[in-house]
Amino acid sequence: QARLVESGGGLAQAGDSLALSCTASERSFNNYVMGWFRQAPGGEREFVAALSASGEGTQYVDSVKGRFTIWRHNAKNTLYLQMNILKPEDTAVYFCAASVSGAGYYTRSSKDYDYWGQGTQVTVSS
């Protein structure tokens, strides 16, 4: 069964950087829109960033623009999220996801993403 596996989360201090990885089990994921979402304790799952199927287009939630970068390495079947200048409010479980139809790139809705990873915890202290 196709799956996504995240890694790279952990503890950081405000101002630090972390890089998340999401490795896909199948090469077909290279043809999908890919996204990152996050969910803070007690909160709803929130869109963070999306990468177009071609890899040339990106979308970011305003709160991470200029600090986070989404990109992928097709040969490694891996999606990345480089997170710089981390803030305590970035603390959450981060999930990668794949949108087969591609609608998720425009809607930013979790409902338009079909495959999900298990999540990786990011904790940022002040």
Side-chain angles (χ1 to χ4, degrees):
Q1 184 175 358
R3 62 191 184 109
L4 302 169
V5 179
E6 301 99 335
S7 61
L11 300 175
Q13 292 188 328
D16 284 352
S17 298
L18 282 175
L20 304 184
S21 301
C22 170
T23 301
S25 59
E26 299 180 358
R27 190 173 295 277
S28 58
F29 282 96
N30 292 336
N31 299 317
Y32 300 155
V33 163
M34 299 296 294
W36 287 97
F37 288 76
R38 64 187 179 187
Q39 188 165 15
E44 296 186 352
R45 194 164 294 190
E46 172 194 31
F47 170 84
V48 175
L51 183 69
S52 68
S54 70
E56 296 179 355
T58 57
Q59 298 268 15
Y60 296 96
V61 67
D62 286 347
S63 61
V64 308
K65 282 182 180 178
R67 299 190 297 121
F68 290 11
T69 303
I70 184 173
W71 62 286
R72 69 174 151 204
H73 194 304
N74 284 347
K76 296 183 177 180
N77 297 341
T78 301
L79 176 75
Y80 300 92
L81 184 68
Q82 177 66 42
M83 305 185 294
N84 297 329
I85 316 175
L86 284 164
K87 302 177 180 180
E89 51 263 44
D90 294 321
T91 295
V93 177
Y94 283 71
F95 300 88
C96 67
S99 176
V100 176
S101 71
Y105 182 78
Y106 299 101
T107 66
R108 304 186 176 190
S109 171
S110 61
K111 296 179 181 179
D112 289 317
Y113 285 80
D114 309 284
Y115 296 95
W116 292 86
Q118 82 288 352
T120 186
Q121 177 71 46
V122 172
T123 303
V124 184
S125 61
S126 58

